[in-house]
Amino acid sequence: MKNVDATQDKRRDILEAAEQVFTANGFTAAKMDDIAELAGVAKGTLYLYFDSKQDLFVSLLEDRIWEYVATLTSKLEEVRSVKCFVQTLAKVRGQLFVRNQRLLESLSHSLPNFSKEHRLRIWNLRKGLEEPTIEALARLLPPDHPVAPLKAAAMVNGALDYTVGTLILHGQPVVLEDVARDLEYVLLPGLSQVLGKG
Amino acid sequence: MKNVDATQDKRRDILEAAEQVFTANGFTAAKMDDIAELAGVAKGTLYLYFDSKQDLFVSLLEDRIWEYVATLTSKLEEVRSVKCFVQTLAKVRGQLFVRNQRLLESLSHSLPNFSKEHRLRIWNLRKGLEEPTIEALARLLPPDHPVAPLKAAAMVNGALDYTVGTLILHGQPVVLEDVARDLEYVLLPGLSQVLGKG
Amino acid sequence: MKNVDATQDKRRDILEAAEQVFTANGFTAAKMDDIAELAGVAKGTLYLYFDSKQDLFVSLLEDRIWEYVATLTSKLEEVRSVKCFVQTLAKVRGQLFVRNQRLLESLSHSLPNFSKEHRLRIWNLRKGLEEPTIEALARLLPPDHPVAPLKAAAMVNGALDYTVGTLILHGQPVVLEDVARDLEYVLLPGLSQVLGKG
Amino acid sequence: MKNVDATQDKRRDILEAAEQVFTANGFTAAKMDDIAELAGVAKGTLYLYFDSKQDLFVSLLEDRIWEYVATLTSKLEEVRSVKCFVQTLAKVRGQLFVRNQRLLESLSHSLPNFSKEHRLRIWNLRKGLEEPTIEALARLLPPDHPVAPLKAAAMVNGALDYTVGTLILHGQPVVLEDVARDLEYVLLPGLSQVLGKG
DNA sequence: AATGAATGAGCATTCATTCAT
DNA sequence: TATGAATGAATGCTCATTCAT
């Protein structure tokens, strides 16, 4: 029991250190040395918990994203209107993005030289990340809305992520309630309108 | 004159090769060897035209982005409505994004280990990239629209980029006219509405 | 008593595992991890029975070779003719070689980076390995045979080992009786002839 | 012209350094750093001339062995008797062995973890090394000699190599003429006798 | 201006050995 | 005795940059 806990603790320490280092430098420029030092373990210890740098990176993404996907999915299940959807999404995905902005951007960059297995795992993550949004929109959009849920989801997620990213870039504080309000103001009418009205 | 032209030609060759290699691998994983080979010059020649790998990378971004910014700025100057703005943006920025998606995503990842000078140049690029959109929206949004142009621009750009990115990710063809139509359908009502109406 | 037996059993398990791993990979490429796993003990346990990887390796050689030397010595003591000597040698040394070919070849390769103590132990092994052959030939060769027993032994052992090694290399079955016959045919006349006749 | 020469010189320097280091330590324990230092070049330079440590090792073996095979083949072509054959072999192969004893022993040890391509190259070397001896014996042995040339060659080569090796091991000077005489005395009668006589 | 051979700092990964339990 | 998690020195290989030609 104690051992399992200790092991989980150390694994978490490493993931946390990896998050910081990968976030700060991107995959290729990140050094295993730095991750080990930040985690307070020896370099060799990293390889007791993860097979390789690639595996550590992908495992980190999985850890962070599956947790988020689970949270978002359950929260969106209770949602009954596009308006409520936008608010919920802004809060949950906004939080993910504030914390993991640079990590998420890594999703695309890390791919090219990865092994087939790791590419597959990343691909699954990328799709999984959009899944809850797409499903919620498929359920909530007016039945004859002309924009496919896949694209609508891309627009909502893109608008949200870019707004948060822009605030960060400009050094402004990110208040997710404000972002939600703006998002709602800009997107809600278009997402709610039915075909005849457009 | 002839020399100047030849010099410009070679510089262009190198930039073109660099674009392909950086696009395919990201900054750190890209190799100067590959760029030289693809450009058809010797490795040492790269250093006659660019000070370093960082300089080559930033110069490439500048070359591509300033060209785009100029184009977009002039096109948007003629625009007189939000609707027309969305269509124009989708076409021009969409093209930039289709061609340079991976390059643009590099903007954030390459920063951390860059020299102060290069970080500044990239910072300017990132802001410049959004500038025309912000200015156009500042001019075109209803005067009492509650969403600041900075954020509105982020939303529009984010929605556009993500939609295109999603299509690419899913292996679907990117038809910018369709994207423009969807964008218009989703964003136009929210961007056009006046405060009292919201 | 029981403890001693259990201890001896475990020691034997480890040596057996070590034999397989060293045989398959040579000294440097062999991993203590693999030996431990194959022996069914934890890595740390190896160090309860042997001081180091070097010690394990040399101990293994000693175990196998002293056993062989004892067997061969006793069998050769009963031998009364060069012909019988060749047959006996082919059988006993042949068996050793079939089983330990790769291990024996390690004798020379492992030396350089070994500690002085281990080098000495290996040196003794190498000489001990030839000893019974030299002694038997010193007794059996015609009294005025011009080839010194040391060299004659080298020739017989070399001819035998290479023949077996060649058969193994070519994937042919090693039938020691056949090897003995061929060896006898080629070597016996030269070893038996007296000086005047040569 | 000059460049080609300089390149060949450096390649030769590296091979010479590699020979010493591989000879002294065996493949796995040899360090690329040491080879580079001994060759008087930077570590990276090794990789301009050879793809990898494995490639360097196999290339070295090929360089040394093919040269020997060519020499031996041409010398043995002129040989008309088993007696003359033994003398010639002792001289030529003896020289190879004196110089490359440890390298040749590496032939078998280096194999296990090598890539398929390198294993094939080594396999070819091992067979090529015996080829001239086998061919000469196939031509020179009495027509009805019961020992196959393959095995007879193994015996002669084994006897020769072990004798030289034993002398080296015991710190005695290696005089190839003496070795040839002893070899002749022990092996010639058996190799020359015809079936009826045996 | 152009070349490309040479450099060497840098990095992911391995593995013999230790030691707290 | 026995364990196996942790260590960190060691090593093969890469690649941006330089410089003699």
Side-chain angles (χ1 to χ4, degrees), chain D residues 50-117:
Chain D
F50 301 94
D51 290 339
S52 65
K53 192 187 179 187
Q54 286 188 15
D55 181 47
L56 173 54
F57 179 73
V58 178
S59 299
L60 170 62
L61 289 175
E62 286 173 343
D63 184 87
R64 297 299 187 254
I65 290 179
W66 291 141
E67 186 192 346
Y68 153 78
V69 167
T71 304
L72 184 61
T73 301
S74 79
K75 294 236 170 160
L76 287 184
E77 266 167 9
E78 304 160 14
V79 162
R80 292 287 166 264
S81 69
V82 175
K83 176 169 179 167
C84 183
F85 158 81
V86 170
Q87 288 171 342
T88 302
L89 186 73
K91 193 147 81 186
V92 181
R93 183 170 175 121
Q95 258 168 357
L96 173 78
F97 198 78
V98 168
R99 187 164 189 220
N100 296 308
Q101 183 196 11
R102 303 282 315 287
L103 205 57
L104 295 179
E105 288 166 354
S106 295
L107 274 177
S108 29
H109 271 281
S110 28
L111 276 156
N113 302 319
F114 273 34
S115 74
K116 210 164 188 175
E117 180 221 332

Side-chain angles (χ1 to χ4, degrees), chain A residues 10 42-45 48-49:
Chain A
K10 195 155 287 187
K43 219 187 318 185
T45 305
L48 295 178
Y49 292 85

